[in-house]
């Protein structure tokens, strides 16, 4: 295999370098988010799932080594839940390695990402969440705060391909902007 070939076992092709991670960690600590579940973010994730019709929705903050879902909504629940490690059925927990999933790409690119079927994109099809959780579709947007820092993402995922289209893209971007405003209100103590 040549060095430029796609290698699904190579994390170099899957996870982008994130030079802002140390500054992001500092900003997240200032805001008091990214280390524990936040009920308002769980509520937001529930509303995001309902709005998009997706089974999973997350409010995700990313540091140098991991992703933390401070807001999480999963199927079969009328509220956000803390799910354990993968069992016989696919499940999502609050913590995920930085090299799993697509949110690190959104944060580094600072742009929304629409993957109607991740298997259509060799760069993304080899991501561990495809085999471990069965993720086939992703829609996410960055949370860029008033300082210009990309704090994390809001995203939805599904276990089958989804035609998100332009409407899905506009929805996720709009909801990301709404959550950034909520974060700013929290920061101001309002």
């Amino acid at each position: 295999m040549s060095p430029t070939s796609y290698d699904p076992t190579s994390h170099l092709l899957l996870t982008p370098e994130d030079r802002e991670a140390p500054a992001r960690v500092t900003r997240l600590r200032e805001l008091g988010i990214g280390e524990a579940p936040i009920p308002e973010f769980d509520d937001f994730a529930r509303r995001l799932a309902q709005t998009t019709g997706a089974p999973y929705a997350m409010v995700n903050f990313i540091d140098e080594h991991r992703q933390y879902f401070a807001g999480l909504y999963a199927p079969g629940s009328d509220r956000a839940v803390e799910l354990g490690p993968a069992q016989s059925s696919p499940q999502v927990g609050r913590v995920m390695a930085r090299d799993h999933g697509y949110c690190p790409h959104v944060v580094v690119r600072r742009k929304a990402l629409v993957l109607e079927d991740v298997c259509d994109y060799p760069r993304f099809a080899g991501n561990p969440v495809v085999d471990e959780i069965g993720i086939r579709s992703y829609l996410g947007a960055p949370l860029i705060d008033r300082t210009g820092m990309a704090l994390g993402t809001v995203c939805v995922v599904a276990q089958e391909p989804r035609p998100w289209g332009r409407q899905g893209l506009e929805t996720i971007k709009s909801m990301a902007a709404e959550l950034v405003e909520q974060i700013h209100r929290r920061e101001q103590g309002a």
Side-chain angles (χ1 to χ4, degrees):
M1 191 176 253
S2 76
T4 58
S5 296
Y6 172 71
D7 178 1
T9 62
S10 170
H11 293 277
L12 293 175
L13 293 176
L14 297 178
T15 306
E17 184 178 356
D18 184 358
R19 292 188 175 109
E20 286 190 350
R24 179 179 314 108
V25 170
T26 298
R27 180 71 177 133
L28 290 171
R29 285 188 183 132
E30 287 172 5
L31 293 168
I33 57 178
E35 295 288 325
I38 298 176
E40 306 92 79
F41 292 175
D42 283 342
D43 292 342
F44 186 89
R46 181 190 331 61
R47 195 162 54 82
L48 180 58
Q50 292 168 344
T51 300
T52 61
Y56 297 92
M58 294 81 135
V59 174
N60 186 10
F61 299 104
I62 302 172
D63 67 22
E64 295 105 327
H65 309 289
R66 69 180 188 139
Q67 303 176 68
Y68 187 80
F69 303 125
L72 175 64
Y73 184 82
S77 174
D78 62 355
R79 62 181 178 77
V81 293
E82 177 79 40
L83 295 172
Q87 309 280 321
S88 57
S89 64
Q91 296 183 337
V92 174
R94 293 242 183 216
V95 177
M96 190 161 51
R98 195 180 160 284
D99 65 350
H100 283 51
Y102 311 106
C103 291
H105 295 272
V106 172
V107 166
V108 170
R109 290 169 27 131
R110 303 173 65 85
K111 293 187 340 189
L113 179 62
V114 179
L115 299 171
E116 294 184 345
D117 185 344
V118 299
C119 294
D120 289 343
Y121 303 89
R123 177 176 186 164
F124 297 119
N127 194 284
V129 297
V130 175
D131 292 331
E132 292 175 16
I133 304 173
I135 299 304
R136 287 290 302 274
S137 187
Y138 172 90
L139 178 64
L143 297 169
I144 300 175
D145 79 349
R146 64 176 178 74
T147 70
M149 177 66 60
L151 302 173
T153 67
V154 293
C155 70
V156 294
V157 296
Q159 293 171 310
E160 68 279 333
R162 290 281 178 107
W164 304 113
R166 175 140 320 268
Q167 181 62 42
L169 177 63
E170 294 307 317
T171 297
I172 200 76
K173 287 165 60 176
S174 170
M175 293 197 74
E178 181 182 324
L179 187 62
V180 167
E181 288 305 313
Q182 185 177 339
I183 290 169
H184 290 160
R185 286 192 302 274
R186 282 177 54 92
E187 182 180 24
Q188 295 165 353

